[in-house]
Structure formats: structure tokens, C-alpha cells
Amino acid sequence: MGKNKGARIIITLECSCRNVSNLNKRRAGIFRYTSSKNRRNTPQRLEVKKYCPYCNKHNIFKEIK
């Protein structure tokens, strides 16, 4: 039998551009992704570089509570 996926948790990743008032943004707002991570092996907050359609470029997305 396979392992149980109970240790994985759902997280929300938010664009780091939310604190910057940039005039080059395509539209106003905050873009978020959802993902999952293993709770036991990653106690620190996750940071991933992904595409933000609001900024029209790749930015660092940080895990939020």
C-alpha cells in the first residue's frame, strides 16, 4: 500500500508586488496561487518564482497564512 497523504497541507502563495505601487502593472490587485507542501520536511515559508499576470512578469511568490 502507498503512503498516506495526510501530512501534506494546502498553502497560498502571494505575489511580492503587493507592497509596491507600480504604474507598470496591468491591473490593480493581488494575484495568488494555491499549492501543497509537506508539513514535516518544510517548516520554513516557501518562496517560488512564478508568473504574475497583474504585473505581466515573473516575481517571487511567498507563502502566506
Side-chain angles (χ1 to χ4, degrees):
M1 294 185 99
K3 290 186 177 180
N4 188 2
K5 289 196 172 188
R8 299 194 69 80
I9 56 171
I10 303 293
I11 59 168
T12 304
L13 300 169
E14 186 176 85
C15 185
S16 60
C17 69
R18 65 185 172 93
N19 296 327
V20 179
S21 59
N22 192 354
L23 299 176
N24 295 331
K25 291 180 83 169
R26 185 184 292 180
R27 56 187 165 181
I30 301 168
F31 193 76
R32 293 180 174 153
Y33 284 103
T34 57
S35 184
S36 63
K37 74 173 187 177
N38 194 341
R39 184 182 309 193
R40 291 177 295 188
N41 295 340
T42 55
Q44 66 275 11
R45 297 242 175 148
L46 190 64
E47 291 186 2
V48 182
K49 193 168 187 179
K50 295 181 81 65
Y51 179 75
C52 178
Y54 288 0
C55 303
N56 200 23
K57 62 180 181 177
H58 284 82
N59 279 337
I60 295 176
F61 280 71
K62 296 181 181 179
E63 178 184 343
I64 60 171
K65 285 285 180 181

